[in-house]
Amino acid sequence: MRLALVAVMAACPVVAQEADPPGPPPETSLTPKLRPEGLSEGQTEGAEAEEPAAETPDQPENQVTVIDAAPVVPDQIAYDAEALAACYGALNALGVSYQPIDPISADDRACGIRQPVEVTLLPGEVALEPAARMRCETALALANWVQDFAIPASRVLPERGTLAAIEHGSAYVCRRRNNDPDGKVSEHAYGNAIDIMGFRFAEGPPIPVMPREREGTMAEAFQDAARATACLHFSTVLGPGSDAAHDNHLHLDVRARRGGFRLCQ
């Protein structure tokens, strides 16, 4: 009987059973490298992430390691000598009247201009009223816009003649955006921005910046043309309709954004 049972088992196929999930790998793999303290989730180590200094054996546990703060924006956007000379040369070629002035600083160290210029006259002898303090890059963007677009557009206005002056409300001023005491620092605080309030001409009435939707006038056409073309030289253009804070002026600034993005509203 025993021999017969063995023969039957040998003749039947063996049915495989579902194996248990494999257990953890043997303890032969390398121990994962710990993320350095202060390195955020998903950040890789490299040139942008510095290893923290090793603690000395006698360092008290409650001692705080002081780390130098990142440079403030005015320092980050300051020119080197070659770039500054090139910017001055470009202003000279455009016929801009300007004067390099002493560095501007404020109690709020986030504000200031390391190499400011004071601009009084733009291309085509267009006055900038009042004189305005700003970075050379801002002055150059303003000068190119006036020469390339604002002056040509003014020549087609009936009974006004050519552009004579640009009136502004502020250039450099140490403040937060929209004068909010707790907001982000304004581009005005770095000398990157200017607020255009209106345009004056050799003849005829001025054109103040104001809401003009469907007004159907040449003043509306000029304001729209000035606003649209400004975004070819400035990275930010805000004006009437953007929000209530910009209903009476064009905010122009040269803020650098990732990928060269321009905000034109």
Side-chain angles (χ1 to χ4, degrees), residues 144-160:
N144 278 316
W145 170 62
V146 167
Q147 175 173 271
D148 294 347
F149 299 108
I151 291 175
S154 72
R155 290 180 180 142
V156 303
L157 294 174
E159 301 177 355
R160 276 192 170 89

Side-chain angles (χ1 to χ4, degrees), residues 94-96 121-127 146-147 151 155 162-164:
L94 288 166
V96 177
L121 202 65
L122 296 165
E125 298 188 349
V126 174
V146 167
Q147 175 173 271
I151 291 175
R155 290 180 180 142
T162 190
L163 185 64

Side-chain angles (χ1 to χ4, degrees), residues 117-128:
V117 295
E118 185 173 73
V119 179
T120 55
L121 202 65
L122 296 165
E125 298 188 349
V126 174
L128 182 61

Side-chain angles (χ1 to χ4, degrees), residues 108 174-186:
D108 184 344
C174 182
R175 64 171 174 82
R176 306 288 160 164
R177 294 181 189 175
N178 299 330
N179 292 307
D180 183 346
D182 299 319
K184 294 182 178 180
V185 178
S186 169

Side-chain angles (χ1 to χ4, degrees), residues 157-162 199-208 212 219:
L157 294 174
E159 301 177 355
R160 276 192 170 89
T162 190
F199 305 86
R200 293 211 327 268
F201 305 89
E203 303 172 18
I207 296 179
R212 295 180 181 276

